[in-house]
Amino acid sequence: MVHLASIPTNKDIGKPLVEGMEKLKVAEQSDQDQFTTSVYGSRFASEDLPKHEMPETEMPKEVAYRMIKDDLSLDGNPMLNLASFVTTYMEKEVEDLMTESFSKNFIDYEEYPQSADIQNRCVSMIGRLFNAPLDGDMAPVGTSTVGSSEAIMLAVLAMKKKWKNARQAAGKPTDRPNIVMSSAVQVCWEKAARYFEVEEKYVYCTENRYVIDPEETYEDAKAVNDLLIKKNIDTVIHIDAASGGFVAPFVVPELEWDFRLEKVVSINVSGHKYGLVYPGVGWVVWRAPEYLPKELVFNINYLGADQSSFTLNFSKGASQVIGQYYQLIRLGKHGYRAIMGNLTRTADYLAESLEQLGFVLMSEKNGKGLPLVAFRIDPKSNKHYDEFAIAHQLRQRSWVVPAYTMAPHTNDLKMLRVV
């Protein structure tokens, strides 16, 4: 397990590398050199890096840097990681800006008011990008988050609270809220539902359909919106635009999926995916303040400043928000349009190449979907290997291309994906 770590017992720490063998140690240096000639001439180069307990004494900064850098060399190369949606490149100028802001605690609005204002500028730009309604008296609201996971948690929490308030006002029970979603959703949706005690209702994918069908609440947001209006169903839509929020406005601007649809009350997007910022920033925007119940917003005085807060955490760095602002004004709409257009054309080229090799495409081309390619082996080809074997061979060449089994009810359909 990656994110939830267990603390090894003393017995575990004392185990040898190979069960049943003696635990070995590197022979100690006779002169106990701390650091005189070079990093690799010091005693630290012949010792394990501390893993379980803080050392009693310090080590030279050059040694700490080199030892950790060498340790991290065992990680994969981000530039060869075709699995992740996360941004792996930013310009040096914005990297410098972000580095200079590492020490800023974003939540301290009194001390860093300009950083807070930069967040507000980003919220405004992103809200307008998503066609937030601006003609009424009630202005849309939004906030930065650590990523789309936190943004989704906040949106689900807001929807549940507003639903509960309405049910209580009508004298109806409030014990069984539910949320309808595709069985292929990211795990953060399952987390949000279980953490906040909302019943999960899934529309399952099939071997021939990887999204929700129009007659079963389609992932085509406009179709869902129109169906709810036609049937006079009193429910709302949240759009998870984690990946597509910075793609669709530039590749298919005519596609209606955002606040142009009256049932859409909130949208989240990941700044660290196609927003082109390094990991650690997301955004959520609400159509109007009424969709964010005021009892969820905490008005606090922190270090002399009155502020409104709706987050799951408190302290966080300002760097990622500043990085997002840089990208928005540095690239502008033309720059994002150019990058997303290039990504789409690259995806189309790869898709056509894979088709020539006999693979079956599972993703859309020509900008009808995200700039990624999902594909699988043609079952008619009778290959003696599967998608996992291909991923393994690519990994031996340092390329990370994930193979996995699709959502339930797809008969364990295997696929590969390149982002």
Side-chain angles (χ1 to χ4, degrees), residues 107 150 195 221 255 273 291 297 301 345 357 366 380 410:
I107 203 66
E150 184 188 8
Y195 289 172
L255 181 67
K273 292 181 181 175
Y291 297 105
V297 179
N301 185 288
R345 286 186 286 273
L357 293 173
N366 303 316
K380 299 176 183 177
T410 56

Side-chain angles (χ1 to χ4, degrees), residues 71-374:
D71 207 31
L72 290 173
S73 69
L74 299 175
D75 274 344
N77 182 349
M79 300 300 290
L80 300 180
N81 182 4
L82 301 180
S84 175
F85 283 93
V86 173
T87 294
T88 56
Y89 167 78
M90 296 182 77
E91 294 169 334
K92 181 182 183 303
E93 289 76 8
V94 66
E95 288 182 339
D96 289 344
L97 272 176
M98 294 170 72
T99 300
E100 292 161 7
S101 300
F102 278 165
S103 60
K104 292 183 179 180
N105 184 5
F106 176 78
I107 203 66
D108 188 354
Y109 300 162
E110 176 71 14
E111 186 69 24
Y112 309 115
Q114 209 60 26
S115 295
D117 189 60
I118 282 176
Q119 178 208 239
N120 299 341
R121 298 175 200 176
C122 291
V123 168
S124 178
M125 292 178 186
I126 292 169
R128 289 172 181 268
L129 185 66
F130 296 164
N131 294 291
L134 302 170
D135 296 330
D137 297 328
M138 303 300 287
V141 295
T143 186
S144 64
T145 59
V146 175
S148 267
S149 292
E150 184 188 8
I152 286 167
M153 300 276 183
L154 297 179
V156 170
L157 196 56
M159 285 192 294
K160 179 185 177 182
K161 190 64 176 177
K162 184 169 175 58
W163 172 85
K164 183 177 181 180
N165 290 347
R167 299 278 292 185
Q168 286 178 332
K172 296 180 179 179
T174 62
D175 59 327
R176 294 196 63 187
N178 65 75
I179 185 167
V180 181
M181 50 193 172
S182 164
S183 61
V185 292
Q186 214 266 359
V187 69
C188 60
W189 279 100
E190 298 175 60
K191 287 183 179 180
R194 295 180 195 179
Y195 289 172
F196 301 133
E197 297 182 325
V198 177
E199 183 183 359
E200 306 155 58
K201 289 184 176 292
Y202 291 109
V203 177
Y204 289 97
C205 300
T206 68
E207 285 187 73
N208 302 312
R209 173 175 51 75
Y210 317 127
V211 295
I212 303 176
D213 186 77
E215 296 303 317
E216 304 175 62
T217 51
Y218 186 27
E219 278 175 317
D220 175 349
K222 189 176 188 308
V224 177
N225 179 83
D226 295 348
L227 184 64
L228 293 175
I229 294 172
K230 178 181 177 182
K231 294 182 176 290
N232 195 29
I233 299 174
D234 182 21
T235 193
V236 295
I237 301 172
H238 171 84
I239 300 292
D240 181 1
S243 300
F246 279 109
V247 177
F250 305 109
V251 177
V252 281
E254 69 281 1
L255 181 67
E256 294 183 44
W257 61 274
D258 50 23
F259 289 118
R260 285 171 287 184
L261 307 177
E262 66 176 86
K263 287 289 188 178
V264 173
V265 299
S266 53
I267 301 174
N268 71 276
V269 66
S270 289
H272 58 226
K273 292 181 181 175
Y274 293 108
L276 306 180
V277 182
Y278 287 144
V281 65
W283 304 91
V284 58
V285 181
W286 285 271
R287 184 182 202 93
E290 66 179 284
Y291 297 105
L292 176 53
K294 60 184 180 181
E295 58 264 44
L296 295 178
V297 179
F298 289 83
N299 295 300
I300 58 176
N301 185 288
Y302 181 66
L303 299 180
D306 293 322
Q307 53 191 267
S308 298
S309 174
F310 182 41
T311 61
L312 295 182
N313 65 303
F314 197 65
S315 294
K316 69 176 180 179
S319 297
Q320 262 59 24
V321 170
I322 292 168
Q324 184 73 80
Y325 183 59
Y326 174 94
Q327 295 291 50
L328 292 174
I329 68 170
R330 157 77 175 94
L331 296 172
K333 293 179 180 178
H334 181 272
Y336 270 93
R337 192 176 297 117
I339 291 172
M340 299 309 152
N342 270 345
L343 293 178
T344 300
R345 286 186 286 273
T346 302
D348 287 349
Y349 170 79
L350 177 59
E352 290 164 5
S353 300
L354 288 166
E355 282 185 311
Q356 286 186 348
L357 293 173
F359 288 97
V360 175
L361 281 187
M362 303 171 68
S363 51
E364 296 278 4
K365 294 189 292 185
N366 303 316
K368 295 179 182 178
L370 292 173
L372 59 81
V373 183

